[in-house]
Amino acid sequence: MSEFMKNSFLLSRRGFVAASGAALGTLALPRVVRAQDPDVLRYALSAYPPGLDPFKHEGAAAVTVKLQVFRGLLGLDGDGKVVGELAEKWEESGTGYIFHIRENAKFQNGEPVTAADVIWSLKQISREGSTAYFVKDLKVISKVDAIDEKTVGITLSDPTPAFAKLLATAYVPILSEKAGMEKPVGAGPYKITSIEEGVSIDLEAFEDYYKDGYPKIRKIKMIAYKDESLRVAALESGDVDIIEYVPWQSMTKIEESPSLVLTETTGPNMIINFNVERPPFNDARVRQAVAYAVKREDIVAAAFYGRGKPLYGLPLDENSEAANDKTEQLWGYDPEKAKALLEEAGVVGQKVKLLSSSTYSMHQDTALIVQQYLNAVGLEVELDLPEWGARVEQGNKGQYQFAINGSSTVVNDPDGLTAMIGSGTPTYKRSFGYSNSKIDLLLSQGRRELDREKRIAIYDEVAELVQQDVPLCSLTRRTQGYGLRDNVQDFHALVGSSNLYTGFGLEEVTFG
Amino acid sequence: MLSYVIKRTLTAVMLAVAVASIVFLALYLVPGDPAEVLLSSGGVEPPAEAVRALRVDLGLDRPIFWQYLVFLADLMRGDLGQSFSNGNPVWDTIMVRLPRTLELIFCATIISLIVGIPCGLIAAIRQGEATDRVLSLLASVAMSLPIFVVGTAMVYVFAQKFHLVPAGGYVAFSEDPGKHLLLLLMPSIAIAIGFSATVFRMSRATVAMVLTKDWVRTARSKGISERQVMTWHIVRNALGPVVTVVGLQMGNLLGGSVLVEYVFNWPGLSGYLVTAIEHRDYPSVRGIVLVVATLFIFINLVVDMIYMILDPRVRH
């Protein structure tokens, strides 16, 4: 046998050693490859965009990409304030708006942006069979006309204080009519130069972008990292310059790292929805009991690693015009009161099922803590944790008793409450079957009230009704984090509902 | 032999159609309406009008039986339909994604064979000795390590700690061949760790068995060189079961490399399948399952062919 060992066997072992040596050798290559190009900003997306339809909602990652390519009449600055984008300025008077398009605003095909393009683009959103995200919101437009080539007049059927905010999102881009919908062409700061399916999207500065001297960095490479830990690893190892959706458990690590910076703002809220068509949550006392039974601070501590704020009031943005003591302090942590309410309703010891989702740990962890607190006051809570798509379906069809939900308004405007507590088509975003005519009346007044003081007073009244009737129970304001390499400058994460539109500011980012 | 191949191929086609039909119907049992799910990604409330319009666009308002007929008719023409998410032809996306997964599988298989078979030989020849025990122990450990643990540990050590490699990702070969291979290496090794242990155990067992056969003793006593005995009498006879296991494992990896693809951000077919399921992108799910099933059937066919070459008895 030793004879044999000398012959064939050692040879293959030698071959093996050589092969593994070669394999290890390639490990030495990368340092050269990883030298950073100051002309390219590498941005880690949390998902590969499922599509890039200019009007459809296709998730946060798609919004970030689309904002580089398409722009609308209005936009948001670094503080989340509405500013002119393709429109240089605009005038509002009740239901009438006049937008003056910038002289130098051009589409990426070289065509100037005209009033006709604006009219055509708005028509694409509201046309029959449109799948646009704002198809319903823009129904408020009753007339659009070209005053001259560079001026557009828009008339609304009702006064709508949130209208300018709607235009300052990613969902109302102005597209070139000439290019049409087959291959839509926008007027954003970057053009898509190449796409590696499922991997990355390469963008290059559009030279004729209306804002002189922008974008600051010539190229952006958007790379999808779906796994949150890998996204953090990519930032740490220098593969990317910015990552979005920093997982809460990694925030401290990024903060403590000398070469990284964490940018943190409050983002969407976590709430509980109720199915008010089924007992026991058809009884407002039971809903109230839930609102008093849960110590929100513990959800922030356990589900969000201390990142976020407890929320005992209306699920509005922290910097919302309607956020004040009257709308923020509706309930408190009061287990005795909760117990008393449950006893009064006669549901102590009753089994209830709490719907959440195993797809997102924040939804699941929040449910776990809510479960503990409700068990402590005398309910017997079971968890139902399907995958996200199934959870949405159950929510839409009312196949639940009560459910954990994430909530944010489309724009930072109190009218966003309509989608959560107003009557309307059942969706998983609303408490199933909930309808309160007093709240509905106030919401429709609030939607149309142009006077700021009067408007705030209306939402104060809404808050009072919510406190009593508990159409939903707020839990926390969670934070949204971006991780940056320390040489990335002038990156502004937007607050609350506007956080989704942080992509507006990428054109300002520079390397220090 | 030709008629055997034709028969096998026809069965394979019928199997594929059956798989496609089962997948088609099973998808309708999964809760979650595609239009609803697609328009509410990230937890936004989709306007009811848009959902209705999208249902019409996607043909979901038609009766299921009608949709099934359209699907079959398209399939006969070799058309897998368009993705619900972005309207791209499913076939095109699969053709972009599939080679990446195949590349990963082949690379992992080659590493596993290079490591597994020689180690199996040594262990079998030195049965019971220290080398054998150490190798067998290592193999047991390697087999029981979950792939996401190995993968995450590799990312941590090689990318985050020592900054030797990027933390996963993908670069097209045409763009940067060096980086492409470098990025391919990590996930390949992660798969190969468990895979080579399987190959090792299989080769160790079969070689050990063959070593005791009479013909080996006869060959040796005839004075044939040890090398020839090894190559022609032992290895060749021992390889049959190893080939079968490797073939099956490769088939499994087609749909089962999802964890590795996820951990290393490798944009292959499995990752596409998971995203497609999340988005309720029915045409994509159907297309991928069909292609994977077809390939699985094909690999089995190839395994049978290799068997024929290795073992003349099967040929007759």
Side-chain angles (χ1 to χ4, degrees), chain A residues 269-335:
Chain A
N269 308 311
M270 298 302 291
I271 59 171
I272 298 175
N273 283 129
F274 303 98
N275 182 345
V276 302
E277 286 189 352
R278 280 207 247 163
F281 297 108
N282 54 351
D283 186 336
R285 289 172 298 187
V286 185
R287 300 198 296 268
Q288 267 193 32
V290 172
Y292 285 107
V294 181
K295 193 174 176 189
R296 275 63 158 184
E297 286 78 359
D298 279 3
I299 298 179
V300 174
F304 297 100
Y305 296 81
R307 308 280 172 165
K309 289 171 188 167
L311 179 60
Y312 288 94
L314 293 181
L316 294 166
D317 277 11
E318 200 175 17
N319 59 354
S320 165
E321 58 194 84
N324 56 42
D325 284 351
K326 281 185 192 150
T327 57
E328 294 273 282
Q329 300 297 331
L330 302 185
W331 313 286
Y333 173 55
D334 189 347

Side-chain angles (χ1 to χ4, degrees), chain A residues 4 9 30 57 224 236 239 429, chain B residues 41 43 122 160 164 167 226 265:
Chain A
F4 148 75
F9 186 56
H57 173 80
E236 284 182 326
D239 297 339
K429 290 303 226 179
Chain B
S41 44
I122 310 178
Q160 277 170 282
L164 285 170
E226 197 50 48
N265 214 23

Side-chain angles (χ1 to χ4, degrees), chain A residues 465-509:
Chain A
L465 292 171
V466 169
Q467 183 178 31
Q468 290 309 312
D469 211 29
V470 198
L472 55 81
C473 165
S474 319
L475 296 173
T476 64
R477 284 203 173 98
R478 60 184 207 232
T479 61
Q480 294 290 103
Y482 291 83
L484 320 173
R485 302 286 313 169
D486 59 355
N487 61 346
V488 174
Q489 285 175 357
D490 300 313
F491 174 83
H492 305 285
L494 300 181
V495 179
S497 315
S498 311
N499 188 264
L500 184 61
Y501 313 120
T502 295
F504 269 121
L506 284 187
E507 66 200 49
E508 295 169 14
V509 171

Side-chain angles (χ1 to χ4, degrees), chain B:
Chain B
M1 183 167 160
L2 190 68
S3 76
Y4 175 75
V5 171
I6 293 173
K7 226 160 76 185
R8 284 293 310 262
T9 314
L10 278 179
T11 321
V13 170
M14 268 148 65
L15 263 175
V17 172
V19 167
S21 304
I22 293 170
V23 172
F24 183 92
L25 297 170
L27 276 175
Y28 282 88
L29 300 176
V30 178
D33 170 49
E36 189 89 48
V37 171
L38 285 170
L39 292 177
S40 64
S41 44
V44 303
E45 184 206 357
E49 288 98 318
V51 173
R52 267 199 305 276
L54 189 60
R55 287 182 62 87
V56 174
D57 276 5
L58 301 178
L60 289 166
D61 56 332
R62 307 285 192 86
I64 289 184
F65 189 65
W66 174 260
Q67 294 179 42
Y68 179 61
L69 286 183
V70 170
F71 163 65
L72 280 187
D74 282 349
L75 197 61
M76 293 306 151
R77 278 182 273 122
D79 181 1
L80 291 179
Q82 273 117 40
S83 156
F84 280 178
S85 298
N86 52 20
N88 294 344
V90 169
W91 178 253
D92 292 2
T93 313
I94 291 179
M95 280 305 112
V96 173
R97 297 279 195 143
L98 181 63
R100 297 174 184 161
T101 292
L102 289 181
E103 192 186 1
L104 186 60
I105 295 174
F106 281 123
C107 192
T109 307
I110 288 166
I111 298 175
S112 307
L113 292 179
I114 291 176
V115 177
I117 294 181
C119 289
L121 277 176
I122 310 178
I125 291 159
R126 302 201 152 177
Q127 229 179 108
E129 292 175 30
T131 324
D132 176 32
R133 277 195 229 127
V134 170
L135 283 173
S136 297
L137 180 75
L138 281 177
S140 303
V141 173
M143 273 179 101
S144 47
L145 278 176
I147 204 143
F148 53 90
V149 173
V150 176
T152 312
M154 282 171 71
V155 169
Y156 180 73
V157 173
F158 296 113
Q160 277 170 282
K161 268 278 165 250
F162 297 114
H163 298 274
L164 285 170
V165 289
Y170 176 87
V171 173
F173 188 79
S174 53
E175 198 181 308
D176 186 344
K179 198 166 181 194
H180 176 87
L181 292 176
L182 185 76
L183 285 165
L184 176 64
L185 200 63
M186 291 262 283
S188 302
I189 292 175
I191 297 176
I193 287 176
F195 194 175
S196 57
T198 314
V199 174
F200 162 81
R201 285 175 68 147
M202 206 63 209
S203 8
R204 180 184 175 277
T206 51
V207 170
M209 198 186 69
V210 173
L211 275 175
T212 63
K213 294 286 181 193
D214 292 342
W215 74 74
V216 175
R217 200 181 45 203
T218 313
R220 288 222 180 92
S221 59
K222 279 201 295 188
I224 299 174
S225 79
E226 197 50 48
R227 183 170 188 165
Q228 272 181 330
V229 174
M230 202 64 209
T231 322
W232 295 108
H233 295 83
I234 300 175
V235 174
R236 182 169 171 159
N237 284 304
L239 273 185
V242 177
V243 170
T244 310
V245 167
V246 168
L248 279 176
Q249 189 84 6
M250 284 173 81
N252 281 339
L253 282 173
L254 271 174
S257 54
V258 60
L259 286 173
V260 177
E261 291 189 3
Y262 196 80
V263 169
F264 291 100
N265 214 23
W266 187 263
L269 200 61
S270 303
Y272 178 36
L273 178 61
V274 172
T275 316
I277 292 172
E278 275 173 9
H279 290 164
R280 301 293 187 275
D281 187 351
Y282 292 174
S284 297
V285 177
R286 290 195 292 252
I288 300 164
V289 173
L290 193 61
V291 167
V292 168
T294 310
L295 275 170
F296 199 97
I297 295 164
F298 177 74
I299 289 177
N300 275 304
L301 206 65
V302 171
V303 167
D304 285 353
M305 307 284 159
I306 297 179
Y307 241 93
M308 278 195 235
I309 296 160
L310 284 176
D311 186 350
R313 280 171 302 182
V314 182
R315 254 178 271 174
H316 305 297

